[in-house]
Amino acid sequence: MTSITASLSDGSAPVQAAQAGGRKARRLDSAARRKRRADDLILVDAVLGGDEDAFRRLVDKYQRPLYWVAYDVLLDAEEARDVVQEAFIRIHGALDRFDRSRDLMNWIFRIARNLAIDAYRRRRRRALPVEDLSATAQDGEVRGGAS
């Protein structure tokens, strides 16, 4: 396995790129992950202490990656933006229940992904053709229910 260390485009954190079986896996090294988690917990404490500017910093930090998580599921820019907005509303309301032993980033991403999946399911249900939703057979009998 070949391993190299590089920096993110903004130079903020080291990245380890590993090549295994032709696939490249990129992940933050342990020190950068620990620093990100510590920084996130500082933001959480500030938000819980009533600092709305801290929540704005949290939004600024995660808004773009959450958009891409939602867009990856929905393939619709407007719907993805709506999901991200809803995700931050829910995050703000549930931050006091966040388990500090867990990774905030993973928690935030899971909220956004679940909301995107829910939006996708709602859209799919709305898009079903009328004939698939019809409860009557061609002869007028009700399918699957008592008449």
Side-chain angles (χ1 to χ4, degrees):
M1 174 172 22
T2 305
S3 177
I4 59 172
T5 302
S7 293
L8 292 176
S9 60
D10 65 0
S12 62
V15 174
Q16 180 177 3
Q19 179 139 2
R23 292 180 58 161
K24 288 185 180 183
R26 298 180 64 160
R27 61 182 177 85
L28 294 173
D29 68 14
S30 297
R33 241 189 341 266
R34 282 192 303 272
K35 180 170 180 1
R36 180 190 44 78
R37 288 181 76 169
D39 290 347
D40 285 350
L41 289 177
I42 289 169
L43 285 174
V44 167
D45 290 339
V47 172
L48 293 176
D51 182 356
E52 287 301 317
D53 187 52
F55 189 72
R56 167 56 38 209
R57 289 192 307 272
L58 194 67
V59 169
D60 290 344
K61 182 176 184 177
Y62 287 110
Q63 186 171 21
R64 183 178 212 128
L66 289 186
Y67 169 82
W68 289 113
V69 165
Y71 184 84
D72 187 47
V73 172
L74 298 165
L75 300 175
D76 181 280
E78 186 175 336
E79 247 184 316
R81 284 189 295 271
D82 290 345
V83 162
V84 171
Q85 183 176 11
E86 179 63 25
F88 280 114
I89 290 168
R90 293 204 184 178
I91 289 163
H92 191 272
L95 209 50
D96 61 335
R97 294 187 307 273
F98 168 66
D99 179 356
R100 297 175 61 83
S101 69
R102 309 297 295 230
D103 189 347
L104 179 70
M105 183 180 76
N106 291 341
W107 183 70
I108 287 173
F109 276 49
R110 177 50 54 195
I111 290 169
R113 185 156 181 84
N114 287 347
L115 288 170
I117 290 168
D118 291 346
Y120 176 78
R121 288 177 180 154
R122 280 191 304 274
R123 181 177 66 192
R124 231 179 54 199
R125 279 195 300 266
R126 285 191 311 261
L128 284 176
V130 174
E131 57 270 6
D132 289 347
L133 299 176
S134 175
T136 59
Q138 288 180 346
D139 60 358
E141 293 179 20
V142 175
R143 286 189 226 154
S147 34

Short mmCIF file of all heavy atoms in Angstrom, two decimals, residues 78-120:
data_model
loop_
_atom_site.label_atom_id
_atom_site.label_comp_id
_atom_site.label_asym_id
_atom_site.label_seq_id
_atom_site.Cartn_x
_atom_site.Cartn_y
_atom_site.Cartn_z
N GLU A 78 -32.66 22.61 -5.38
CA GLU A 78 -33.59 23.29 -4.50
C GLU A 78 -34.02 22.40 -3.34
O GLU A 78 -34.07 22.84 -2.18
CB GLU A 78 -34.82 23.76 -5.28
CG GLU A 78 -35.76 24.60 -4.45
CD GLU A 78 -36.92 25.16 -5.27
OE1 GLU A 78 -36.79 25.31 -6.49
OE2 GLU A 78 -37.95 25.45 -4.65
N GLU A 79 -34.31 21.15 -3.64
CA GLU A 79 -34.70 20.22 -2.58
C GLU A 79 -33.55 19.99 -1.61
O GLU A 79 -33.76 19.89 -0.40
CB GLU A 79 -35.13 18.88 -3.19
CG GLU A 79 -36.59 18.58 -3.01
CD GLU A 79 -36.96 17.20 -3.54
OE1 GLU A 79 -36.52 16.82 -4.63
OE2 GLU A 79 -37.71 16.52 -2.82
N ALA A 80 -32.33 19.92 -2.13
CA ALA A 80 -31.16 19.73 -1.27
C ALA A 80 -30.99 20.92 -0.33
O ALA A 80 -30.70 20.75 0.86
CB ALA A 80 -29.91 19.53 -2.12
N ARG A 81 -31.19 22.15 -0.84
CA ARG A 81 -31.10 23.34 0.02
C ARG A 81 -32.18 23.30 1.10
O ARG A 81 -31.92 23.66 2.26
CB ARG A 81 -31.21 24.62 -0.81
CG ARG A 81 -29.93 24.95 -1.57
CD ARG A 81 -30.00 26.32 -2.20
NE ARG A 81 -31.01 26.42 -3.24
CZ ARG A 81 -30.81 26.15 -4.52
NH1 ARG A 81 -29.64 25.76 -4.93
NH2 ARG A 81 -31.80 26.26 -5.40
N ASP A 82 -33.38 22.88 0.74
CA ASP A 82 -34.46 22.77 1.73
C ASP A 82 -34.11 21.76 2.82
O ASP A 82 -34.37 21.99 4.01
CB ASP A 82 -35.77 22.36 1.06
CG ASP A 82 -36.37 23.46 0.20
OD1 ASP A 82 -35.94 24.62 0.32
OD2 ASP A 82 -37.27 23.14 -0.62
N VAL A 83 -33.53 20.64 2.42
CA VAL A 83 -33.14 19.60 3.38
C VAL A 83 -32.07 20.14 4.32
O VAL A 83 -32.13 19.91 5.54
CB VAL A 83 -32.65 18.33 2.64
CG1 VAL A 83 -31.85 17.42 3.56
CG2 VAL A 83 -33.84 17.58 2.06
N VAL A 84 -31.10 20.86 3.80
CA VAL A 84 -30.04 21.42 4.64
C VAL A 84 -30.62 22.41 5.65
O VAL A 84 -30.27 22.39 6.83
CB VAL A 84 -28.93 22.07 3.78
CG1 VAL A 84 -27.94 22.84 4.65
CG2 VAL A 84 -28.21 21.02 2.96
N GLN A 85 -31.54 23.24 5.19
CA GLN A 85 -32.17 24.19 6.11
C GLN A 85 -32.92 23.45 7.22
O GLN A 85 -32.79 23.78 8.40
CB GLN A 85 -33.13 25.10 5.34
CG GLN A 85 -33.77 26.15 6.20
CD GLN A 85 -34.63 27.12 5.40
OE1 GLN A 85 -34.91 26.90 4.24
NE2 GLN A 85 -35.05 28.18 6.04
N GLU A 86 -33.69 22.45 6.85
CA GLU A 86 -34.42 21.65 7.84
C GLU A 86 -33.45 20.94 8.78
O GLU A 86 -33.70 20.84 9.98
CB GLU A 86 -35.34 20.64 7.15
CG GLU A 86 -36.12 19.75 8.10
CD GLU A 86 -37.09 20.50 9.00
OE1 GLU A 86 -37.54 21.60 8.62
OE2 GLU A 86 -37.41 19.97 10.09
N ALA A 87 -32.34 20.45 8.24
CA ALA A 87 -31.35 19.76 9.07
C ALA A 87 -30.81 20.70 10.15
O ALA A 87 -30.72 20.33 11.32
CB ALA A 87 -30.21 19.22 8.21
N PHE A 88 -30.48 21.93 9.78
CA PHE A 88 -29.94 22.87 10.76
C PHE A 88 -31.00 23.28 11.79
O PHE A 88 -30.67 23.50 12.96
CB PHE A 88 -29.30 24.08 10.09
CG PHE A 88 -27.91 23.78 9.58
CD1 PHE A 88 -27.65 23.80 8.23
CD2 PHE A 88 -26.90 23.45 10.46
CE1 PHE A 88 -26.38 23.50 7.75
CE2 PHE A 88 -25.62 23.16 10.00
CZ PHE A 88 -25.36 23.19 8.64
N ILE A 89 -32.24 23.35 11.38
CA ILE A 89 -33.32 23.63 12.35
C ILE A 89 -33.38 22.50 13.37
O ILE A 89 -33.45 22.74 14.59
CB ILE A 89 -34.67 23.82 11.63
CG1 ILE A 89 -34.66 25.13 10.83
CG2 ILE A 89 -35.84 23.77 12.62
CD1 ILE A 89 -35.83 25.27 9.86
N ARG A 90 -33.32 21.28 12.88
CA ARG A 90 -33.39 20.13 13.80
C ARG A 90 -32.13 20.02 14.66
O ARG A 90 -32.22 19.66 15.85
CB ARG A 90 -33.60 18.85 13.00
CG ARG A 90 -34.96 18.85 12.35
CD ARG A 90 -35.42 17.48 12.08
NE ARG A 90 -36.69 17.53 11.38
CZ ARG A 90 -37.32 16.47 10.97
NH1 ARG A 90 -36.80 15.28 11.16
NH2 ARG A 90 -38.48 16.58 10.35
N ILE A 91 -30.98 20.29 14.07
CA ILE A 91 -29.73 20.25 14.82
C ILE A 91 -29.78 21.27 15.96
O ILE A 91 -29.44 20.94 17.10
CB ILE A 91 -28.53 20.52 13.89
CG1 ILE A 91 -28.33 19.32 12.95
CG2 ILE A 91 -27.27 20.84 14.67
CD1 ILE A 91 -27.47 19.62 11.74
N HIS A 92 -30.23 22.47 15.65
CA HIS A 92 -30.32 23.51 16.68
C HIS A 92 -31.24 23.09 17.82
O HIS A 92 -30.93 23.28 18.99
CB HIS A 92 -30.79 24.83 16.07
CG HIS A 92 -30.65 25.99 16.98
ND1 HIS A 92 -31.64 26.36 17.87
CD2 HIS A 92 -29.64 26.87 17.15
CE1 HIS A 92 -31.24 27.41 18.55
NE2 HIS A 92 -30.03 27.75 18.13
N GLY A 93 -32.36 22.48 17.47
CA GLY A 93 -33.32 22.04 18.48
C GLY A 93 -32.88 20.84 19.28
O GLY A 93 -33.35 20.62 20.40
N ALA A 94 -31.97 20.05 18.75
CA ALA A 94 -31.57 18.80 19.41
C ALA A 94 -30.15 18.84 19.96
O ALA A 94 -29.68 17.85 20.51
CB ALA A 94 -31.71 17.64 18.44
N LEU A 95 -29.47 19.95 19.81
CA LEU A 95 -28.06 20.02 20.20
C LEU A 95 -27.86 19.70 21.68
O LEU A 95 -26.84 19.12 22.05
CB LEU A 95 -27.50 21.41 19.86
CG LEU A 95 -26.03 21.49 19.56
CD1 LEU A 95 -25.58 20.48 18.53
CD2 LEU A 95 -25.66 22.89 19.11
N ASP A 96 -28.83 20.04 22.51
CA ASP A 96 -28.70 19.74 23.94
C ASP A 96 -28.77 18.24 24.22
O ASP A 96 -28.36 17.78 25.29
CB ASP A 96 -29.75 20.49 24.76
CG ASP A 96 -31.17 20.12 24.37
OD1 ASP A 96 -31.40 19.68 23.23
OD2 ASP A 96 -32.07 20.30 25.22
N ARG A 97 -29.25 17.45 23.26
CA ARG A 97 -29.32 16.00 23.42
C ARG A 97 -28.17 15.28 22.71
O ARG A 97 -28.10 14.05 22.73
CB ARG A 97 -30.65 15.48 22.89
CG ARG A 97 -31.83 15.98 23.71
CD ARG A 97 -33.15 15.35 23.30
NE ARG A 97 -33.46 15.46 21.88
CZ ARG A 97 -34.09 16.49 21.32
NH1 ARG A 97 -34.45 17.52 22.04
NH2 ARG A 97 -34.36 16.48 20.02
N PHE A 98 -27.25 16.05 22.10
CA PHE A 98 -26.11 15.45 21.41
C PHE A 98 -25.21 14.72 22.40
O PHE A 98 -24.86 15.27 23.45
CB PHE A 98 -25.32 16.54 20.66
CG PHE A 98 -23.99 16.07 20.16
CD1 PHE A 98 -23.91 15.11 19.17
CD2 PHE A 98 -22.82 16.58 20.69
CE1 PHE A 98 -22.69 14.66 18.72
CE2 PHE A 98 -21.59 16.14 20.24
CZ PHE A 98 -21.52 15.18 19.25
N ASP A 99 -24.85 13.50 22.10
CA ASP A 99 -23.97 12.69 22.94
C ASP A 99 -22.52 13.11 22.65
O ASP A 99 -21.97 12.82 21.60
CB ASP A 99 -24.18 11.21 22.60
CG ASP A 99 -23.28 10.27 23.39
OD1 ASP A 99 -22.43 10.76 24.18
OD2 ASP A 99 -23.42 9.05 23.22
N ARG A 100 -21.93 13.79 23.61
CA ARG A 100 -20.58 14.36 23.42
C ARG A 100 -19.51 13.30 23.21
O ARG A 100 -18.41 13.62 22.77
CB ARG A 100 -20.23 15.24 24.61
CG ARG A 100 -21.16 16.43 24.75
CD ARG A 100 -20.88 17.21 26.00
NE ARG A 100 -19.53 17.76 26.04
CZ ARG A 100 -19.17 18.89 25.45
NH1 ARG A 100 -20.06 19.60 24.81
NH2 ARG A 100 -17.93 19.31 25.54
N SER A 101 -19.78 12.05 23.50
CA SER A 101 -18.79 11.00 23.25
C SER A 101 -18.77 10.60 21.78
O SER A 101 -17.89 9.88 21.34
CB SER A 101 -19.08 9.78 24.13
OG SER A 101 -20.27 9.14 23.69
N ARG A 102 -19.74 11.08 21.02
CA ARG A 102 -19.84 10.77 19.59
C ARG A 102 -19.24 11.91 18.77
O ARG A 102 -18.99 12.99 19.28
CB ARG A 102 -21.30 10.54 19.18
CG ARG A 102 -22.08 9.56 20.04
CD ARG A 102 -21.51 8.18 19.97
NE ARG A 102 -21.65 7.64 18.65
CZ ARG A 102 -22.15 6.47 18.36
NH1 ARG A 102 -22.57 5.69 19.32
NH2 ARG A 102 -22.24 6.07 17.12
N ASP A 103 -19.10 11.67 17.48
CA ASP A 103 -18.56 12.67 16.57
C ASP A 103 -19.71 13.56 16.07
O ASP A 103 -20.66 13.06 15.46
CB ASP A 103 -17.88 11.96 15.40
CG ASP A 103 -17.10 12.89 14.49
OD1 ASP A 103 -17.26 14.11 14.59
OD2 ASP A 103 -16.33 12.37 13.67
N LEU A 104 -19.62 14.87 16.33
CA LEU A 104 -20.66 15.80 15.92
C LEU A 104 -20.87 15.77 14.41
O LEU A 104 -22.00 15.78 13.93
CB LEU A 104 -20.32 17.23 16.36
CG LEU A 104 -21.33 18.29 15.96
CD1 LEU A 104 -22.63 18.12 16.75
CD2 LEU A 104 -20.76 19.68 16.16
N MET A 105 -19.78 15.72 13.65
CA MET A 105 -19.89 15.71 12.20
C MET A 105 -20.74 14.51 11.72
O MET A 105 -21.63 14.68 10.89
CB MET A 105 -18.52 15.67 11.54
CG MET A 105 -18.59 15.74 10.02
SD MET A 105 -16.98 15.69 9.23
CE MET A 105 -16.59 13.95 9.39
N ASN A 106 -20.46 13.35 12.26
CA ASN A 106 -21.23 12.16 11.87
C ASN A 106 -22.70 12.32 12.24
O ASN A 106 -23.60 11.93 11.48
CB ASN A 106 -20.67 10.90 12.51
CG ASN A 106 -19.32 10.53 11.95
OD1 ASN A 106 -18.94 10.97 10.86
ND2 ASN A 106 -18.58 9.72 12.68
N TRP A 107 -22.97 12.89 13.41
CA TRP A 107 -24.35 13.10 13.86
C TRP A 107 -25.07 14.06 12.93
O TRP A 107 -26.20 13.80 12.50
CB TRP A 107 -24.30 13.64 15.30
CG TRP A 107 -25.61 13.86 15.96
CD1 TRP A 107 -26.51 12.91 16.38
CD2 TRP A 107 -26.18 15.13 16.32
NE1 TRP A 107 -27.59 13.52 16.98
CE2 TRP A 107 -27.40 14.88 16.96
CE3 TRP A 107 -25.76 16.45 16.18
CZ2 TRP A 107 -28.22 15.89 17.44
CZ3 TRP A 107 -26.56 17.46 16.67
CH2 TRP A 107 -27.78 17.18 17.29
N ILE A 108 -24.41 15.16 12.58
CA ILE A 108 -25.00 16.16 11.69
C ILE A 108 -25.26 15.56 10.31
O ILE A 108 -26.32 15.75 9.72
CB ILE A 108 -24.08 17.40 11.60
CG1 ILE A 108 -24.16 18.20 12.90
CG2 ILE A 108 -24.42 18.26 10.41
CD1 ILE A 108 -23.16 19.34 12.98
N PHE A 109 -24.27 14.82 9.80
CA PHE A 109 -24.43 14.22 8.47
C PHE A 109 -25.56 13.20 8.47
O PHE A 109 -26.30 13.09 7.49
CB PHE A 109 -23.12 13.56 8.02
CG PHE A 109 -22.16 14.52 7.39
CD1 PHE A 109 -21.84 15.72 7.98
CD2 PHE A 109 -21.57 14.21 6.17
CE1 PHE A 109 -20.96 16.60 7.40
CE2 PHE A 109 -20.67 15.08 5.58
CZ PHE A 109 -20.36 16.29 6.19
N ARG A 110 -25.71 12.44 9.54
CA ARG A 110 -26.78 11.43 9.61
C ARG A 110 -28.14 12.12 9.60
O ARG A 110 -29.07 11.65 8.94
CB ARG A 110 -26.60 10.57 10.86
CG ARG A 110 -27.68 9.53 11.09
CD ARG A 110 -28.00 8.65 9.90
NE ARG A 110 -26.88 7.99 9.35
CZ ARG A 110 -26.89 7.40 8.13
NH1 ARG A 110 -28.00 7.40 7.40
NH2 ARG A 110 -25.83 6.81 7.67
N ILE A 111 -28.28 13.21 10.31
CA ILE A 111 -29.55 13.96 10.32
C ILE A 111 -29.88 14.41 8.90
O ILE A 111 -30.99 14.21 8.41
CB ILE A 111 -29.48 15.16 11.28
CG1 ILE A 111 -29.47 14.67 12.73
CG2 ILE A 111 -30.66 16.12 11.05
CD1 ILE A 111 -29.15 15.74 13.77
N ALA A 112 -28.91 15.02 8.23
CA ALA A 112 -29.14 15.52 6.86
C ALA A 112 -29.45 14.38 5.90
O ALA A 112 -30.35 14.48 5.07
CB ALA A 112 -27.93 16.32 6.37
N ARG A 113 -28.72 13.30 6.00
CA ARG A 113 -28.94 12.17 5.09
C ARG A 113 -30.33 11.56 5.31
O ARG A 113 -31.04 11.25 4.35
CB ARG A 113 -27.86 11.11 5.26
CG ARG A 113 -27.98 9.99 4.26
CD ARG A 113 -26.65 9.32 4.07
NE ARG A 113 -26.74 8.26 3.09
CZ ARG A 113 -26.65 8.45 1.78
NH1 ARG A 113 -26.46 9.65 1.30
NH2 ARG A 113 -26.74 7.43 0.96
N ASN A 114 -30.72 11.40 6.56
CA ASN A 114 -32.05 10.85 6.84
C ASN A 114 -33.16 11.76 6.31
O ASN A 114 -34.14 11.28 5.74
CB ASN A 114 -32.23 10.61 8.34
CG ASN A 114 -31.44 9.42 8.84
OD1 ASN A 114 -30.94 8.61 8.06
ND2 ASN A 114 -31.30 9.33 10.14
N LEU A 115 -32.98 13.07 6.47
CA LEU A 115 -33.98 14.01 5.94
C LEU A 115 -34.02 13.95 4.41
O LEU A 115 -35.09 14.04 3.82
CB LEU A 115 -33.68 15.43 6.40
CG LEU A 115 -33.96 15.72 7.88
CD1 LEU A 115 -33.39 17.07 8.27
CD2 LEU A 115 -35.45 15.64 8.15
N ALA A 116 -32.87 13.80 3.79
CA ALA A 116 -32.83 13.70 2.33
C ALA A 116 -33.52 12.42 1.85
O ALA A 116 -34.28 12.43 0.87
CB ALA A 116 -31.38 13.73 1.83
N ILE A 117 -33.30 11.33 2.55
CA ILE A 117 -33.95 10.07 2.19
C ILE A 117 -35.46 10.20 2.37
O ILE A 117 -36.24 9.75 1.52
CB ILE A 117 -33.38 8.90 3.03
CG1 ILE A 117 -31.94 8.60 2.58
CG2 ILE A 117 -34.27 7.66 2.91
CD1 ILE A 117 -31.18 7.67 3.52
N ASP A 118 -35.90 10.83 3.46
CA ASP A 118 -37.34 11.07 3.67
C ASP A 118 -37.92 11.91 2.54
O ASP A 118 -39.01 11.61 2.03
CB ASP A 118 -37.59 11.77 5.00
CG ASP A 118 -37.30 10.88 6.20
OD1 ASP A 118 -37.16 9.65 6.04
OD2 ASP A 118 -37.19 11.45 7.32
N ALA A 119 -37.21 12.97 2.13
CA ALA A 119 -37.69 13.82 1.04
C ALA A 119 -37.76 13.04 -0.27
O ALA A 119 -38.71 13.19 -1.04
CB ALA A 119 -36.77 15.04 0.88
N TYR A 120 -36.79 12.19 -0.50
CA TYR A 120 -36.78 11.36 -1.71
C TYR A 120 -37.99 10.43 -1.72
O TYR A 120 -38.68 10.29 -2.73
CB TYR A 120 -35.48 10.56 -1.78
CG TYR A 120 -35.44 9.60 -2.94
CD1 TYR A 120 -35.17 10.06 -4.23
CD2 TYR A 120 -35.69 8.24 -2.76
CE1 TYR A 120 -35.14 9.18 -5.31
CE2 TYR A 120 -35.67 7.37 -3.82
CZ TYR A 120 -35.39 7.84 -5.09
OH TYR A 120 -35.37 6.96 -6.15
#
